[in-house]
Amino acid sequence: MAGDVVELRDVWKVYRVGKRSYPALRGLSLTVEEGEFVAIVGPSGSGKSTLLNLIGALDRPSRGSVLINGVDISRLSDNQMAELRNRVIGFVFQSFNLISHLTALENVMVPMIPAGIPRSERKKRARRLLERFLPPEIADKKPLELSGGEQQRVAIARALANDPRIILADEPTGNLDSRSAERVIEVFRELHGEGRTIIMVTHNLEITRYCDRIVRIQDGRIAGHDVRGGWRAG
Amino acid sequence: MISDFILVSLKSLTARKTRVVLTLFSVAVGVATILALVAQTAGISQSIQETLEKMGPETIFVFSSRLTPSDIEAVKRIPGVRDAEPMITLITNVYVGGEKLQQQIVLGVTPKGLEMFLSDIKLLDGTLFPDTKAPLALVGYNIGYDHLRERQKVYAGQPIFMEVGSGGDVRLVRLTVSGVMDRYGALAFLRPDDIIFIPLRSAQDILGSATYNRIIVKAVSVDQVDSVVESISNMFGENAMPVSAQQIGEAFQTVVRQLSFLMAGIAGISLVVASLGILNTMLITVLERTREIGTYKALGYKNRHVLLMILVEGTLIGLMGGLVGVGMGVAGSLAIPKIIARRAAERASAFEAPAPIGYTPVLDPQIILLALGVAVLVSMLSSLYPAWRAARMDPVRALRYE
Ligand SMILES: Nc1ncnc2c1ncn2[C@@H]1O[C@H](COP(=O)(O)OP(=O)(O)OP(=O)(O)O)[C@@H](O)[C@H]1O
Ligand SMILES: [Mg+2]
């Protein structure tokens, strides 16, 4: 238990569409250990993003429990969930979701404001994070002036703004060409090397080569685990 | 931390310049309207008050068509009357240095009557006239001074010509300018700067008449005014109408007060329009930026942070609009009386007709601050609902929004 940072027990997520309800997750259980790099794969509509949103405290399960560092997120208030997202979790999206009117540097500073980091410190930290993955001259560019690969690396720097231990990524290379994707994969491997827990939804075979584990999802349930090449039934 | 949100909000405002500027302008127009209207009504009110004080609140005018010297004597004997002097008003065309002044007011007065009327007279040129039959004239500042070229244009000794008679029997009477008056000032309902004064006896001589059509009366004190007005009214019945300066002032004040209600309505409407503009802009903003709001939430912004961001944005529009509006309002306030004066220039008259009121608009710093405060408050209130909508957005849905 001590090593588990993420634990889902018999989780259901039921979406209501008009009068009908649609279960996107149907009794899913999963544990992820600290420092693990987990890839989540599965057909479209199988519930991968839904799962990631629950782990990221963006949403609450309809049934079952989601524990992050041993804390059940169902018991947290909206504000406490926001704090969790701010400090413990870093999000990376398929479509980058950078704030278009802010520069790369300012984007990286965005999560530091609610964390209460002083202004002078914010700038220093953001610059350091950006320069880990990108040439320094992009700092003052707006997202639209950057390539997709650069944007995604800015987004990763932003996800790291408050030094979270868990990084969640929903198809981070989905919108990138293979060369840009490679650079991004490189970055994730580096973060893994630092001992961060990474949970990533992906179809990219390249990434799955570096993962500790591949979790297959089908119809809102775990269909199986793939540990370093060895197959383990769900 | 609020200062951080203000910075972020400012950045997002500059990203949507056109719409922000348009909304800002609607606020500015609202604020400018309020300021200009308040400044005008306050200015008019103040000018009326000053006129009363300058002329003396114990002054009474008697309007009639035919008054004889014995009528004047009778008025003088009324208890509470300190003094009374006859006057003759005529409105006619006057030619001054090749310029035709249409419907010019010419006032026949004795030196004493002039003193009772204006109390303190300064001259640019020449002298006042004595009690005489000679055709002399004392011209008001606006007639004797060229505002455009900023120099005197009528001089003592210069002849001017006045039309006398009516229909086919019009003749020109030559008057000699004895003096040019200096600026008397913005008097609300009397405009001595626009009048030509001539000696009373000269006026009678020119008109070939032994009667008068005005009396200026001074009561012993302000509290005697009402009883004097009543006595004069009883004495002449239908044949004369006594009006105290105070009554004239009050009549004007009543009109101003009613106008200011109307103006408050206009100002209110323009503010409602401005606030609907902000509401609309901010609702569109929130909708357009749904994904962005979802992103902020995913990155750990609490509902109140999002609320604050949108609220600050809307309020900044209000503040900037308010500042622009104050600028426009001040400029407009100062321009309005000049525009009124110019349009009414040919129709200027003192007692008769709707006299255009000369005044200086009053721009009270407190009113300016108040207008600014109202702009900020209104914009804050109008962005409250959009901000609340943004704050309670579900982050997952917001992030899925296309
Ligand atoms: N807010 C919602 N309301 C209703 N149905 C939803 C909602 N979000 C997801 N769903 C449904 O739940 C199911 C799972 O959605 P989810 O986004 O988790 O799939 P996914 O595995 O991420 O698919 P993809 O690979 O296409 O991204 C889908 O059938 C989807 O239509
Ligand atoms: Mg998905």
Side-chain angles (χ1 to χ4, degrees):
Chain A
M1 177 83 191
D4 299 339
V5 281
V6 175
E7 186 179 357
L8 285 83
R9 292 186 199 141
D10 192 25
V11 166
W12 287 72
K13 181 68 195 182
V14 182
Y15 286 115
R16 246 164 249 295
V17 183
K19 281 191 178 143
R20 306 176 59 188
S21 51
Y22 178 83
L25 296 180
R26 312 167 188 209
L28 183 147
S29 296
L30 173 73
T31 49
V32 176
E33 285 172 27
E34 170 138 35
E36 231 187 328
F37 188 163
V38 176
I40 295 171
V41 297
S44 178
S46 55
K48 306 180 297 289
S49 295
T50 305
L51 172 63
L52 216 60
N53 289 340
L54 289 177
I55 298 172
L58 270 172
D59 210 351
R60 295 185 173 86
S62 311
R63 240 168 68 194
S65 51
V66 177
L67 284 78
I68 309 294
N69 290 333
V71 177
D72 189 346
I73 61 158
S74 310
R75 294 183 206 285
L76 297 182
S77 67
D78 280 2
N79 279 346
Q80 288 170 317
M81 276 170 72
E83 270 167 36
L84 193 77
R85 293 195 294 268
N86 188 232
R87 287 156 210 255
V88 179
I89 291 158
F91 271 102
V92 179
F93 307 91
Q94 177 174 356
S95 50
F96 325 133
N97 283 350
L98 293 173
I99 311 295
S100 58
H101 56 265
L102 299 181
T103 64
L105 190 71
E106 288 164 344
N107 262 285
V108 178
M109 284 157 48
V110 160
M112 301 179 188
I113 294 175
I117 295 166
R119 197 171 301 173
S120 52
E121 170 76 13
R122 286 204 297 257
K123 204 159 203 166
K124 247 187 281 166
R125 223 157 112 175
R127 206 172 282 282
R128 216 182 311 126
L129 282 168
L130 267 182
E131 286 176 7
R132 261 188 79 175
F133 313 121
L134 292 146
E137 61 270 17
I138 66 104
D140 295 321
K141 288 192 174 175
K142 300 268 173 80
L144 282 176
E145 298 158 0
L146 300 173
S147 73
E150 287 169 330
Q151 287 189 54
Q152 192 59 301
R153 277 177 281 153
V154 173
I156 294 171
R158 182 178 68 180
L160 294 172
N162 294 327
D163 199 18
R165 298 308 297 159
I166 305 169
I167 309 288
L168 304 178
D170 197 342
E171 300 192 41
T173 58
N175 282 2
L176 302 179
D177 60 73
S178 57
R179 262 187 63 88
S180 303
E182 249 169 66
R183 303 274 320 259
V184 167
I185 294 165
E186 201 62 30
V187 170
F188 276 104
R189 287 186 66 193
E190 211 180 303
L191 299 180
H192 182 218
E194 290 168 8
R196 294 184 214 264
T197 308
I198 298 173
I199 303 172
M200 180 189 293
V201 173
T202 187
H203 294 298
N204 191 311
L205 291 174
E206 183 76 9
I207 296 181
T208 54
R209 292 216 326 249
Y210 303 114
C211 294
D212 296 323
R213 180 159 50 125
I214 300 168
V215 176
R216 294 180 193 283
I217 296 195
Q218 189 134 30
D219 297 329
R221 290 190 196 90
I222 307 265
H225 299 264
D226 212 346
V227 187
R228 291 258 170 187
W231 170 257
R232 194 175 76 184
Chain B
M1 189 123 101
I2 286 200
S3 66
D4 295 322
F5 287 109
I6 293 178
L7 280 178
V8 174
S9 299
L10 259 177
K11 293 227 164 78
S12 95
L13 283 178
T14 50
R16 294 171 294 125
K17 282 191 200 76
T18 323
R19 194 182 310 146
V20 168
V21 164
L22 286 177
T23 313
L24 193 145
F25 199 70
S26 77
V27 178
V29 168
V31 168
T33 313
I34 296 178
L35 266 190
L37 296 186
V38 170
Q40 307 311 307
T41 42
I44 293 169
S45 259
Q46 194 182 344
S47 171
I48 292 169
Q49 204 54 42
E50 281 171 7
T51 304
L52 269 180
E53 271 155 33
K54 209 161 180 178
M55 189 167 50
E58 72 280 1
T59 307
I60 300 161
F61 296 101
V62 181
F63 296 77
S64 175
S65 53
R66 240 182 82 89
L67 294 161
T68 60
S70 62
D71 289 333
I72 310 298
E73 289 312 310
V75 169
K76 280 186 177 166
R77 282 194 300 271
I78 293 174
V81 169
R82 196 184 54 187
D83 216 338
E85 277 293 301
M87 305 197 289
I88 294 174
T89 323
L90 55 140
I91 296 176
T92 181
N93 298 335
V94 178
Y95 301 84
V96 179
E99 200 183 337
K100 181 177 184 184
L101 305 175
Q102 304 233 18
Q103 302 287 301
Q104 172 61 45
I105 292 184
V106 179
L107 193 62
V109 282
T110 59
K112 191 170 141 206
L114 191 61
E115 162 76 23
M116 281 166 73
F117 184 26
L118 298 179
S119 67
D120 175 29
I121 304 160
K122 288 191 216 77
L123 296 177
L124 272 185
D125 190 19
T127 56
L128 299 177
F129 47 70
D131 188 6
T132 172
K133 242 177 151 164
L136 296 174
L138 181 66
V139 303
Y141 178 69
N142 288 342
I143 296 162
Y145 191 80
D146 188 339
H147 294 278
L148 233 54
R149 299 197 180 77
E150 294 185 349
R151 59 179 172 80
Q152 195 180 331
K153 64 176 177 187
V154 177
Y155 296 88
Q158 181 178 331
I160 62 176
F161 300 91
M162 178 171 100
E163 279 182 12
V164 180
S166 59
D169 186 25
V170 176
R171 65 195 162 91
L172 283 182
V173 173
R174 180 192 163 110
L175 302 168
T176 306
V177 174
S178 74
V180 177
M181 283 168 57
D182 197 355
R183 185 176 156 76
Y184 192 80
L187 275 172
F189 43 91
L190 301 166
R191 302 170 61 92
D193 287 341
D194 293 315
I195 298 177
I196 295 175
F197 299 90
I198 63 175
L200 183 73
R201 286 204 283 140
S202 161
Q204 285 182 313
D205 194 44
I206 291 166
L207 294 174
S209 142
T211 60
Y212 322 108
N213 60 10
R214 299 280 184 277
I215 315 174
I216 181 167
V217 181
K218 295 274 178 178
V220 172
S221 69
V222 178
D223 23 297
Q224 302 276 355
V225 167
D226 286 344
S227 75
V228 170
V229 165
E230 208 185 316
S231 307
I232 295 173
S233 195
N234 291 339
M235 181 181 288
F236 292 103
E238 296 282 286
N239 295 327
M241 182 177 66
V243 179
S244 69
Q246 276 184 316
Q247 282 172 325
I248 299 175
E250 271 159 33
F252 271 97
Q253 295 282 24
T254 305
V255 173
V256 168
R257 220 171 294 128
Q258 281 166 352
L259 270 179
S260 64
F261 279 121
L262 187 76
M263 289 169 170
I266 296 171
I269 289 167
S270 66
L271 271 184
V272 169
V273 170
S275 89
L276 285 177
I278 293 179
L279 182 67
N280 181 47
T281 300
M282 294 316 286
L283 277 177
I284 293 174
T285 295
V286 165
L287 192 70
E288 271 181 356
R289 289 156 71 199
T290 300
R291 257 182 106 91
E292 186 185 311
I293 291 162
T295 305
Y296 276 114
K297 287 194 159 185
L299 296 176
Y301 280 56
K302 295 175 182 175
N303 293 354
R304 68 173 138 91
H305 296 143
V306 173
L307 185 97
L308 198 63
M309 271 200 305
I310 305 295
L311 209 57
V312 166
E313 259 189 61
T315 309
L316 278 177
I317 295 181
L319 181 66
M320 293 187 289
L323 288 172
V324 173
V326 165
M328 280 166 37
V330 169
S333 297
L334 299 178
I336 286 172
K338 297 207 177 98
I339 294 166
I340 293 177
R342 197 171 310 147
R343 304 212 85 201
E346 315 99 65
R347 274 171 261 159
S349 63
F351 301 106
E352 282 74 9
I357 290 175
Y359 64 97
T360 313
V362 176
L363 284 159
D364 188 342
Q366 267 180 317
I367 298 289
I368 292 177
L369 278 182
L370 188 74
L372 210 53
V374 168
V376 170
L377 196 72
V378 161
S379 58
M380 199 187 273
L381 287 177
S382 332
S383 16
L384 209 52
Y385 173 67
W388 176 78
R389 289 249 308 230
R392 43 154 260 177
M393 269 183 193
D394 171 31
V396 174
R397 258 170 213 240
L399 281 168
R400 284 167 62 104
Y401 184 86
E402 291 304 322

